Amino acid sequence: MPLPKPPTKRADMLTAEDFASQPKPVKQTKSSATRAASAKAAPAFTQPPVLELVKPSATTSAVEKISASTKAGGALAPVRADKSDSAPVATKPSSSDAAKARSGPATGSGTMRRRRMSEGPAKLFVLDTNVLLHDPMSLFRFEEHDVYLPMITLEELDGHKKGMTEVARNARQVSRDLDQLAADMNGSQMDPTAGIALAKTGHVEAGGKLYFQTNGMEIHLPAGLPQGKADNQILGVVQALRSQHPGRDVVLVSKDINMRIKARALGLPADDYTSDKTLEDGDLLYTGVLPLPADFWDRHAKGMESWQQGGVTYYRVSGPMVPVFLVNQFVYLESPGATPWYGKVIEITGKTAVLRTLKDYANQKHSVWGVTARNREQNFALNLLMDPECDFVTLTGSAGTGKTLMTLASALSQVLDERRYTEIIVTRVTVPVGEDIGFLPGTEEEKMSPWMGALDDNLEVLARGDSSAGEWGRAATNELVRSKIKIKSMNFMRGRTFLNKFLIIDEAQNLTPKQMKTLITRAGPGTKIICLGNLAQIDTPYLTEGSSGLTYAVDKFKGWPHSGHVTLARGERSRLADFASEVL
């Protein structure tokens, strides 16, 4: 069959005769057995099928019919462009299908709102003031459930908005969010039954509504609870709401333990605010260390590659353990009668991982400013602290595990010996363990010096290690070390940018996730940040092991190629301190 004539001008279309002269594929209906038999008997070379174009008139009429029936409000009737066409039929979903779609998981690309898991009515959460002051975004953290704010909560919120503290900033942020939510009321009285959609300001994850207390409620509390106290007024609101909505779950949310105890004593459901918790159990925190099974090399020997570069041995392995690995995670293999092997995961590509041997800082030849590793975890920590490609390091562990000493030794080595960083900046949260002693005189560094007793103790240990320099030499070394260490207050960190600094954040377990984000985002080019803390010694109110900023940072940074974490398990302070930490 001759080919159609070539076009005479650009964007020229085929004529009707040329289009009709194209061969039409013959449609056959065969069973699966007949198709399989014909496929076996077909010759090696077959004529490729020609695609049949859909007639524009039929397509247009089908679309018009569907749109017309949709506008009319009726069910979408089966409409076909051709009787022989096997396209799926557009029909209106039934009520059971809609229920399945609501209860099923959200699929597809992009960010989609989480579907309601239960078919019953949404819960109504009554928020205490301390929840809003603790997390200013708590209004939008209850998914499809509704939020109720008593009027006394707004009064208390107004009383905390003045000042420069973190609580005052949170109160002002909550007030701005509430103002945006109620911006379109235009002076009209709010309908207490309508509510305000929480998603109207762009928080699509919040599918519920916000309700305010706009009228008085009849409260029946025991005589022992004074009516003038704010906590008791909130308890009365919860009790009244339960009587007004008998078929709905009304729950009080408060960070105050005594408030929850009183609510449960009155038979009212009360829960803690847990949306800010990174982990429910502190034992599930990422440790950064993974022991390998005894048969690891036998199970991963197939296809394994090994090479040496710069005095370091690399292994490329593939096997069942690879999906468990994370980048910059330490692995070790210790078996009786065999030499222990220590390594670090440096790369994960598909189903393969690259392991690299570590530098042995337990050897005196590899000491860092006179400090050597005394156990396995300390060796892992020094490998992270001395790695120039690791920009963010978190070290956790109990008292006496050597966190501050190793960090300060590695900082002095890289600032004074290797000149990798220009200076050391040390900061910490100023939360007293006992009663506060009041204002401290002097400059910023003089005010911070009582909080830096651990820094001074470790500097004495590092300076005492150089016994060959003599008294004058040690004094000169101390002056040089002091000139390279700057002690800064955390209150003045906002807006700063650190370039080529070695930043040490001590007692990081007392930071909130928001404060941790503020500090980490201060890092400029060439800056390394070290976070030290003991999650068993949290002194900040309303913070737990699961909601601490240190836990938040460890969980969010795990697996990033330029960060690392090690949990130090063994104390090296003294036998007295080790025994006291176990029995006291």
Side-chain angles (χ1 to χ4, degrees):
M1 178 179 294
L3 294 175
K5 295 180 181 180
T8 57
K9 57 182 180 179
R10 297 181 63 182
D12 193 9
M13 300 180 66
L14 290 176
T15 62
E17 293 78 7
D18 292 335
F19 181 76
S21 63
Q22 297 296 318
K24 302 288 185 180
V26 180
K27 294 186 179 181
Q28 299 178 356
T29 57
K30 297 181 179 181
S31 62
S32 58
T34 309
R35 284 197 298 269
S38 61
K40 292 181 180 180
F45 175 79
T46 58
Q47 182 70 21
V50 179
L51 294 178
E52 183 180 2
L53 299 178
V54 179
K55 296 180 181 180
S57 60
T59 306
T60 306
S61 61
V63 175
E64 290 176 353
K65 291 179 181 178
I66 293 175
S67 60
S69 60
T70 306
K71 291 179 180 178
L76 295 181
V79 179
R80 298 180 186 270
D82 191 3
K83 292 183 179 180
S84 60
D85 192 4
S86 58
V89 179
T91 57
K92 184 178 180 180
S94 61
S95 59
S96 60
D97 296 336
K100 291 179 181 178
R102 286 195 301 269
S103 61
T107 58
S109 60
T111 304
M112 299 188 67
R113 185 179 300 172
R114 186 177 299 176
R115 298 292 188 266
R116 185 180 298 177
M117 299 305 295
S118 61
E119 291 298 328
K123 294 182 179 180
L124 184 62
F125 289 103
V126 182
L127 300 190
D128 195 2
T129 312
N130 48 44
V131 176
L132 299 173
L133 298 178
H134 174 72
D135 183 9
M137 300 299 294
S138 58
L139 287 171
F140 313 102
R141 301 272 174 98
F142 291 92
E143 298 178 354
E144 75 273 11
H145 303 289
D146 298 333
V147 176
Y148 189 94
L149 292 183
M151 197 55 65
I152 189 61
T153 298
L154 299 179
E155 293 290 339
E156 286 190 317
L157 196 66
D158 184 69
H160 288 88
K161 67 181 182 181
K162 296 180 181 179
M164 297 301 296
T165 61
E166 189 73 19
V167 172
R169 281 192 288 267
N170 292 344
R172 290 192 292 268
Q173 182 177 344
V174 174
S175 299
R176 288 192 295 268
D177 292 337
L178 293 176
D179 180 60
Q180 292 179 1
L181 288 170
D184 56 353
M185 299 305 297
N186 297 326
S188 60
Q189 187 176 2
M190 186 178 299
D191 185 5
T193 61
I196 303 174
L198 290 169
K200 62 180 294 186
T201 56
H203 299 84
V204 295
E205 70 277 4
K209 291 184 178 182
L210 174 65
Y211 295 90
F212 291 97
Q213 180 187 358
T214 56
N215 51 13
M217 294 184 175
E218 188 176 356
I219 298 175
H220 301 283
L221 290 178
L225 294 177
Q227 300 291 335
K229 193 173 182 181
D231 290 354
N232 298 335
Q233 293 185 33
I234 296 176
L235 292 175
V237 170
V238 176
Q239 187 182 61
L241 287 174
R242 291 196 69 194
S243 61
Q244 293 178 7
H245 306 279
R248 195 173 185 185
D249 291 337
V250 180
V251 182
L252 171 66
V253 181
S254 176
K255 297 292 295 181
D256 190 355
I257 298 177
N258 293 329
M259 178 79 163
R260 298 198 300 268
I261 293 175
K262 287 195 295 184
R264 289 162 185 164
L266 296 174
L268 304 176
D271 286 336
D272 188 11
Y273 178 71
T274 58
S275 296
D276 61 333
K277 288 187 177 181
T278 306
L279 296 174
E280 293 295 334
D281 189 359
D283 296 335
L284 302 177
L285 184 64
Y286 172 65
T287 61
V289 180
L290 179 66
L292 298 178
D295 57 346
F296 173 77
W297 297 113
D298 297 334
R299 298 173 61 185
H300 296 74
K302 184 178 180 181
M304 185 180 66
E305 302 177 12
S306 175
W307 68 94
Q308 288 188 347
Q309 183 179 352
V312 180
T313 306
Y314 296 83
Y315 302 89
R316 187 184 302 276
V317 297
S318 60
M321 287 286 292
V322 172
V324 187
F325 290 154
L326 291 173
V327 178
N328 280 345
Q329 185 180 31
F330 292 96
V331 293
Y332 67 92
L333 180 59
E334 294 178 348
S335 57
T339 304
W341 182 87
Y342 306 106
K344 185 175 73 169
V345 181
I346 63 171
E347 180 185 340
I348 298 177
T349 306
K351 298 182 180 180
T352 62
V354 178
L355 309 180
R356 184 182 67 187
T357 57
L358 302 178
K359 190 174 182 179
D360 186 15
Y361 286 100
N363 194 333
Q364 189 64 34
K365 295 187 298 183
H366 298 155
S367 63
V368 179
W369 202 261
V371 174
T372 57
R374 294 190 177 183
N375 54 53
R376 178 181 60 232
E377 284 77 16
Q378 286 188 355
N379 188 26
F380 295 161
L382 285 173
N383 274 274
L384 282 179
L385 294 170
M386 298 299 293
D387 188 0
E389 295 297 325
C390 200
D391 300 332
F392 182 72
V393 179
T394 51
L395 300 179
T396 60
S398 59
T401 51
K403 302 183 297 294
T404 308
L405 181 63
M406 291 188 299
T407 303
L408 194 57
S410 61
L412 293 173
S413 176
Q414 296 176 82
V415 170
L416 297 178
D417 297 343
E418 302 178 11
R419 305 295 178 90
R420 188 177 297 162
Y421 308 100
T422 56
E423 64 180 0
I424 305 169
I425 297 178
V426 185
T427 184
R428 60 162 291 176
V429 185
T430 55
V431 179
V433 177
E435 187 177 354
D436 199 351
I437 62 175
F439 292 101
L440 299 174
T443 62
E444 179 186 358
E445 292 206 6
E446 290 174 348
K447 290 177 183 294
M448 290 295 296
S449 58
W451 301 98
M452 293 299 169
L455 176 67
D456 298 333
D457 297 340
N458 287 281
L459 284 178
E460 291 180 5
V461 174
L462 295 174
R464 194 168 57 245
D466 189 8
S467 58
S468 61
E471 184 177 354
W472 289 98
R474 286 196 297 271
T477 302
N478 289 337
E479 289 295 329
L480 178 62
V481 167
R482 289 288 183 180
S483 65
K484 292 294 183 180
I485 298 178
K486 297 292 187 297
I487 301 174
K488 298 296 181 183
S489 174
M490 198 171 295
N491 300 332
F492 309 104
M493 289 293 184
R494 191 181 297 274
R496 299 193 60 181
T497 301
F498 300 111
L499 302 177
N500 296 320
K501 310 293 186 185
F502 196 97
L503 178 59
I504 302 174
I505 304 175
D506 201 7
E507 302 293 334
Q509 77 274 3
N510 290 320
L511 288 171
T512 64
K514 185 177 179 181
Q515 292 173 333
M516 180 66 74
K517 178 182 178 180
T518 302
L519 289 177
I520 297 176
T521 52
R522 302 302 99 209
T527 294
K528 186 166 187 169
I529 297 181
I530 315 296
C531 291
L532 312 175
N534 180 13
L535 292 173
Q537 296 179 351
I538 297 179
D539 303 316
T540 304
Y542 299 139
L543 273 188
T544 60
E545 294 183 9
S547 60
S548 171
L550 183 58
T551 305
Y552 180 76
V554 171
D555 186 71
K556 296 299 181 182
F557 276 90
K558 64 180 180 182
W560 189 49
H562 302 287
S563 70
H565 169 73
V566 173
T567 299
L568 302 172
R570 180 181 171 186
E572 298 291 346
R573 183 168 286 172
S574 66
R575 58 189 179 187
L576 173 61
D578 293 342
F579 183 73
S581 61
E582 293 177 2
V583 300
L584 295 181

